[in-house]
Amino acid sequence: MQCSIKLPITTLILVVFLGACQSSDKGNHKVAYSHFRLGVNLLAQGKKPEALEQFLIAKELDPDSALISNHLGLAYYFLQEYEHAVVALKEAIDLKPKYSEAHNNLGRVYIDMSDYSAARKHLSVAANDLTYGAKDKVWLNLGLSYFFENRYDKSESYFLKSISLNRNNCLGYNYYGRVQIEKEQYQQAAKALDQAIYHCKRKGFDEPHYYSAIAFFRLGFKEKAIARLEEGLKKFPKGPNREKIEEMIKLMKITETK
């Protein structure tokens, strides 16, 4: 004789409802991840507004994902919407307090907001994480936090640490070279900025050409300095420092080296 257990109708509805919710949650996570991956690809292509749109959709579908919040913060950062970036990255950290990548990214945002003490607070978390694999970025950001406070000796040590971990370090060489210019060590500056030019050539970054020319000019190599600036204009005709480079060429042509 078979026994059957009859559940109240309300219980049956609850079971069906919960089962549907669990299935829906799994579906949302899957769809959210698809939008997230598309956002990552768009960001890599430099399509920042489109990437932001995809991360916002992903966040709506999966609001508890620290990974999505971190990348949402990055998209806002690259669009120079720093306040929104801070909110997103803080949310990533709230969801995952030891998320070193988010701490490092938030530190970088604070540097661009000129809040260097807040930057170092978060960068120190990433620096102390023995499992975090992108320490070259952390040292670079710590160096920047001191560089923009004109604390050049302190920043120099961090730029060197960053370069030691990543020999293809475009920004590391660039800012190490800039430190040497500030310290009037022009030969060292010229060598470092030559490395920066080589490693930055695929990034569309023209700043090393500008500061390399300054180092050469201070060393008394006026023609070489002007040639370096003209090279920067030729390689990066739409570079962010184009106007500065053009003005510097005019100035160097009428100025004698010491």
Side-chain angles (χ1 to χ4, degrees):
M1 179 176 171
Q2 294 180 340
C3 295
S4 62
I5 300 174
K6 294 184 178 180
L7 296 174
I9 291 175
T10 52
T11 305
L12 286 170
I13 292 172
L14 184 60
V15 170
V16 172
F17 178 75
L18 287 174
C21 283
Q22 290 172 356
S23 177
S24 176
D25 286 344
K26 289 179 181 178
N28 282 349
H29 289 313
K30 187 174 181 179
V31 176
Y33 188 71
S34 295
H35 285 286
F36 167 75
R37 291 303 307 168
L38 179 56
V40 170
N41 290 333
L42 288 167
L43 202 59
Q45 296 170 38
K47 298 178 179 179
K48 293 169 258 190
E50 295 88 343
L52 175 63
E53 182 180 1
Q54 293 303 315
F55 292 138
L56 286 169
I57 295 170
K59 183 65 179 174
E60 183 73 22
L61 291 166
D62 190 358
D64 296 327
S65 170
L67 182 67
I68 292 172
S69 292
N70 175 65
H71 283 74
L72 180 59
L74 280 177
Y76 278 127
Y77 169 72
F78 288 127
L79 287 165
Q80 298 183 345
E81 296 186 27
Y82 299 134
E83 296 293 344
H84 286 96
V86 167
V87 171
L89 290 165
K90 281 186 172 180
E91 188 169 89
I93 292 167
D94 287 340
L95 290 165
K96 189 177 177 183
K98 295 183 179 180
Y99 192 1
S100 292
E101 182 69 17
H103 280 288
N104 183 54
N105 291 335
L106 183 53
R108 187 67 182 87
V109 174
Y110 277 131
I111 287 169
D112 279 29
M113 296 174 74
S114 301
D115 191 344
Y116 305 118
S117 60
R120 288 192 285 270
K121 175 184 174 182
H122 288 280
L123 292 170
S124 66
V125 175
N128 291 326
D129 181 358
L130 298 178
T131 66
Y132 186 48
K135 286 289 178 60
D136 60 311
K137 295 178 182 178
V138 180
W139 303 139
L140 175 67
N141 287 334
L142 280 166
L144 291 173
S145 77
Y146 289 110
F147 179 84
F148 292 121
E149 287 185 329
N150 302 326
R151 297 167 67 180
Y152 300 120
D153 287 336
K154 189 79 171 176
S155 69
E156 180 180 22
S157 65
Y158 283 110
F159 293 141
L160 285 171
K161 288 176 75 171
S162 181
I163 291 168
S164 72
L165 291 178
N166 177 10
R167 292 295 180 180
N168 300 317
N169 201 325
C170 162
L171 290 176
Y173 283 114
N174 179 67
Y175 280 99
Y176 177 73
R178 288 188 60 180
V179 167
Q180 302 314 311
I181 287 175
E182 296 293 340
K183 295 172 70 174
E184 300 184 359
Q185 301 295 319
Y186 299 119
Q187 287 187 338
Q188 284 181 260
K191 290 179 181 178
L193 290 161
D194 275 348
Q195 289 291 318
I197 288 169
Y198 177 78
H199 293 295
C200 295
K201 60 186 176 183
R202 295 182 181 178
K203 299 182 182 293
F205 188 52
D206 59 358
E207 188 171 288
H209 282 83
Y210 179 80
Y211 286 101
S212 174
I214 290 175
F216 282 131
F217 191 81
R218 294 299 184 194
L219 287 167
F221 303 126
K222 177 178 176 178
E223 296 304 319
K224 194 169 184 177
I226 293 172
R228 179 54 55 85
L229 290 170
E230 290 174 341
E231 179 186 64
L233 281 180
K234 183 178 180 180
K235 287 186 175 180
F236 309 110
K238 296 181 180 180
N241 293 286
R242 178 180 57 83
E243 291 183 6
K244 284 174 61 177
I245 290 174
E246 289 175 340
E247 287 299 317
M248 186 58 71
I249 289 173
K250 293 176 184 177
L251 183 62
M252 284 186 177
K253 284 182 176 179
I254 61 173
T255 305
E256 293 298 325
T257 56
K258 294 181 180 180

